[in-house]
Amino acid sequence: MEQQYILALDQGTTSTRAILFDHDGHKVATAQKELPQIFRQSGWIEHDANVIWEHARQVMAEVVINANIKPYKVASIGITNQRETTVLWNRRTGEPIADAVVWQSKQSDIFANALKEQGLTQKVYDKTGLWIDSYFSATKIMWLLENVPGARELAAEGDLLFGTIDTWLLWKLTNGAVHATDYSNASRTMLFNIHDLQWDEELLALFDIPANILPEVRDSSGIFGYTAEFVFFGLQVPIAGIAGDQQAALFGHQAFKTGDVKNTFGTGSFIVMNTGEQPAISTHGLLTTIGYGLDGKVTYALEGSVFIAGAAIQWLRDGLQLIINAQETAEMADRSRENHPKRVYLVPAFTGLGAPYWDQNTRGAMFGLTRATGREDIVRATLESLAYQTKDVLDAMISDTQLDISTLVIDGGAAANDYLQRFLADLIATPISRPDQLETTALGVAYLAGLGVGYWDSVATLPNSDEVTVELPDEQHAEDMQVAYQGWQKAVEAARMFPLDVE
Ligand code: G3P
């Protein structure tokens, strides 16, 4: 049979990428564009949804050119996306009514606080699996409806549409023919009842969000629609897989068994555990969410969302200018460990603390500074903070599920960092496995899009990732790690004593 390919469109917080995979699950080519961040006010982060769409079109074309294949050899397209980020647009003109409000953005904090003050926290969790926070789409929609002139009128006329980025791109790719999302993305809106698998009418009424702006919710795999002719080399290619990026990574690791858990180090760090056909209830600040919908069944997951991970390394590079690139950080941290055994702690709560704390008012702090502290120590503290935050979440997962974690699989940019991998294995006293091919998110949605058109027959026949590097914990470090983690817990406690409103 003539070789065909799956095109994964990975629309992340800082870039838009297209990656082409072959039948063995091998990456054949990539194309990428950086996404400009819009900072209109402190704490606000927005994206131009039209730029996202333009970039998506460009990278889809470029990846085909880079791979030097005929465009008709693309069997299907999958979309994976930064989740929660909210776009509202006019159905008639196809124009967004405002910039997209990004998941990290804080302009709807007051709406989230008001909902908490109304005593809705447990009700919202019981229905949606989410702890009220401005992170999720609901309060972002409320903010847009309130602040964009004419938004409510447009909704009343039936001309306003809401979507997370997957929905926006699907709508654009199909030239407005399909307004839909998948279960994994719907479960991040704080409007979707993850038990009934319906938009929740009671919450919509409480939040004053009109139901007519919401997309149809479907399985993550299956044909959503076809590219409009002017979009992709004049071809009508099926869009056959959609998943939020963290859930796509879970799928990409083939973490199909209950208790399988992965951590993706991107801008933030997202630890997701497959909990099977039943939702696991968290009493430790984790989110209950939908992993994916496949063959008419949903698989649930527990998630710990950590807001700042790779973003802290970017801050070292672009903000503090302590490093030139992320690659040098592992060696710097090794040198710090040799020269300055005494630790510095960084609590990177730059946009508040996510799981398991859910404290949107805490801000970042550094502890343990002396005159001997140098940039290598701060670099090391930053890498170690990624590991501590992972342990916070894994401990909560173990308490919630009583499941043992036999291995943690990791991916994403910072997963390539040897110092982090070693430190994390020691800290959580668990083997860490890292695929050599770190494009797990894109691979996950490629799997879904391939399954959706019969490119692969079933999950059992999906190709396995080739090579993995496994890091085993070193027992000799166990005691030191215990002390280190206690220090981290104290540092978090101290940082939380200075919330934002103390300024
Ligand atoms: O929930 C937000 C998450 O989906 C963003 O992922 O990879 O764009 O940082 P990323």
Side-chain angles (χ1 to χ4, degrees):
M1 192 184 85
E2 222 184 340
Q3 175 76 280
Q4 286 196 300
Y5 304 88
I6 307 291
L7 191 157
L9 191 54
D10 181 357
Q11 204 302 302
T13 313
T14 54
S15 69
T16 304
R17 297 164 354 116
I19 299 155
L20 215 52
F21 291 95
D22 67 16
H23 201 259
D24 296 325
H26 290 142
K27 181 171 79 177
V28 176
T30 59
Q32 164 160 357
K33 287 199 88 68
E34 294 301 314
L35 179 61
Q37 312 289 308
I38 303 168
F39 302 109
R40 283 194 293 148
Q41 284 193 33
S42 154
W44 296 22
I45 307 179
E46 297 171 333
H47 290 158
D48 183 335
N50 277 330
V51 169
I52 290 180
W53 163 235
E54 272 315 311
H55 284 185
R57 274 179 77 170
Q58 286 170 22
V59 294
M60 284 169 66
E62 270 172 34
V63 79
V64 167
I65 294 161
N66 292 350
N68 198 17
I69 62 157
K70 300 268 183 278
Y72 68 82
K73 294 206 172 169
V74 174
S76 68
I77 294 168
I79 306 172
T80 184
N81 54 292
Q82 51 166 323
R83 305 164 307 163
E84 300 95 11
T85 298
T86 297
V87 194
L88 293 184
W89 69 97
N90 183 324
R91 179 205 298 272
R92 291 192 185 280
T93 63
E95 281 300 310
I97 63 162
D99 284 332
V101 183
V102 176
W103 58 278
Q104 298 153 310
S105 198
K106 294 283 163 198
Q107 63 258 63
S108 61
D109 271 1
I110 44 168
F111 289 89
N113 286 335
L115 297 178
K116 284 190 220 165
E117 275 157 26
Q118 287 169 47
L120 290 172
T121 301
Q122 195 61 42
K123 182 194 272 285
V124 170
Y125 176 76
D126 290 344
K127 285 169 175 273
T128 66
L130 308 177
W131 301 108
I132 295 173
D133 196 275
S134 57
Y135 170 32
F136 307 109
S137 312
T139 63
K140 300 182 192 296
I141 301 175
M142 293 163 83
W143 186 89
L144 285 164
L145 288 173
E146 198 69 26
N147 286 281
V148 180
R152 282 214 178 265
E153 291 72 17
L154 210 54
E157 286 155 16
D159 285 336
L160 190 70
L161 296 180
F162 154 75
T164 39
I165 297 293
D166 55 308
T167 303
W168 165 246
L169 289 176
L170 176 66
W171 195 83
K172 286 300 227 183
L173 285 166
T174 59
N175 195 25
V178 186
H179 183 224
T181 189
D182 85 305
Y183 287 115
S184 71
N185 275 295
S187 74
R188 315 298 298 185
T189 56
M190 215 169 84
L191 297 171
F192 192 68
N193 190 311
I194 59 168
H195 309 284
D196 307 349
L197 304 180
Q198 304 283 347
W199 296 115
D200 192 277
E201 284 175 19
E202 189 189 357
L203 292 185
L204 289 171
L206 279 169
F207 302 165
D208 197 14
I209 294 178
N212 67 351
I213 67 172
L214 300 172
E216 183 193 332
V217 187
R218 302 191 191 168
D219 266 0
S220 312
S221 182
I223 296 179
F224 284 81
Y226 294 83
T227 48
E229 269 179 31
F230 64 91
V231 166
F232 188 71
F233 302 100
L235 297 167
Q236 292 184 299
V237 181
I239 298 136
I242 290 185
D245 56 7
Q246 302 310 321
Q247 287 95 328
L250 188 75
F251 207 86
H253 281 295
Q254 301 197 21
F256 300 136
K257 291 196 306 300
T258 301
D260 283 350
V261 51
K262 70 91 199 178
N263 186 6
T264 303
F265 293 103
T267 310
S269 162
F270 298 89
I271 301 126
V272 182
M273 176 190 263
N274 185 326
T275 62
E277 286 179 28
Q278 293 306 320
I281 302 307
S282 179
T283 51
H284 296 86
L286 300 179
L287 307 174
T288 306
T289 200
I290 297 181
Y292 45 90
L294 193 63
D295 300 330
K297 261 197 332 222
V298 303
T299 294
Y300 290 93
L302 263 187
E303 172 171 322
S305 325
V306 172
F307 295 149
I308 300 289
I313 299 170
Q314 269 170 9
W315 169 72
L316 292 178
R317 189 194 60 195
D318 306 334
L320 297 188
Q321 303 189 342
L322 289 186
I323 58 170
I324 294 169
N325 56 48
Q327 288 73 30
E328 64 180 328
T329 58
E331 279 182 15
M332 290 173 81
D334 274 329
R335 282 198 297 273
S336 161
R337 196 165 183 159
E338 257 165 50
N339 302 334
H340 294 138
K342 193 122 185 58
R343 298 200 142 77
V344 171
Y345 289 95
L346 170 73
V347 181
F350 303 150
T351 57
L353 285 169
Y357 308 100
W358 296 107
D359 184 348
Q360 60 192 20
N361 297 324
T362 296
R363 287 297 176 268
M366 214 182 298
F367 297 92
L369 302 179
T370 67
R371 273 190 76 161
T373 302
R375 61 190 192 109
E376 294 182 341
D377 307 307
I378 295 173
V379 167
R380 172 181 168 209
T382 306
L383 291 179
E384 292 182 351
S385 75
L386 272 53
Y388 295 129
Q389 296 183 98
T390 306
K391 178 168 167 62
D392 287 342
V393 169
L394 291 179
D395 285 354
M397 274 178 178
I398 295 166
S399 304
D400 277 338
T401 61
Q402 304 298 316
L403 290 170
D404 277 340
I405 295 172
S406 56
T407 305
L408 173 70
V409 286
I410 62 171
D411 65 281
N417 191 295
D418 289 334
Y419 182 88
L420 174 61
Q421 194 186 10
R422 263 183 283 127
F423 184 82
L424 182 57
D426 286 346
L427 184 72
I428 64 172
T430 302
I432 310 271
S433 158
R434 164 177 84 185
D436 284 357
Q437 202 266 90
L438 287 170
E439 304 281 10
T440 323
T441 299
L443 181 61
V445 86
Y447 284 160
L448 289 164
L451 289 167
V453 292
Y455 181 80
W456 292 294
D457 297 333
S458 65
V459 288
T461 58
L462 290 174
N464 264 313
S465 79
D466 312 322
E467 301 294 328
V468 294
T469 313
V470 177
E471 186 72 40
L472 297 174
D474 182 342
E475 274 180 25
Q476 284 183 352
H477 294 155
E479 216 172 294
D480 180 40
M481 287 297 106
Q482 229 176 343
V483 176
Y485 189 60
Q486 280 164 2
W488 161 257
Q489 287 174 309
K490 275 198 224 153
V492 172
E493 210 180 303
R496 296 182 74 184
M497 286 167 67
F498 290 94
L500 198 57
D501 53 8
V502 169
E503 275 176 355

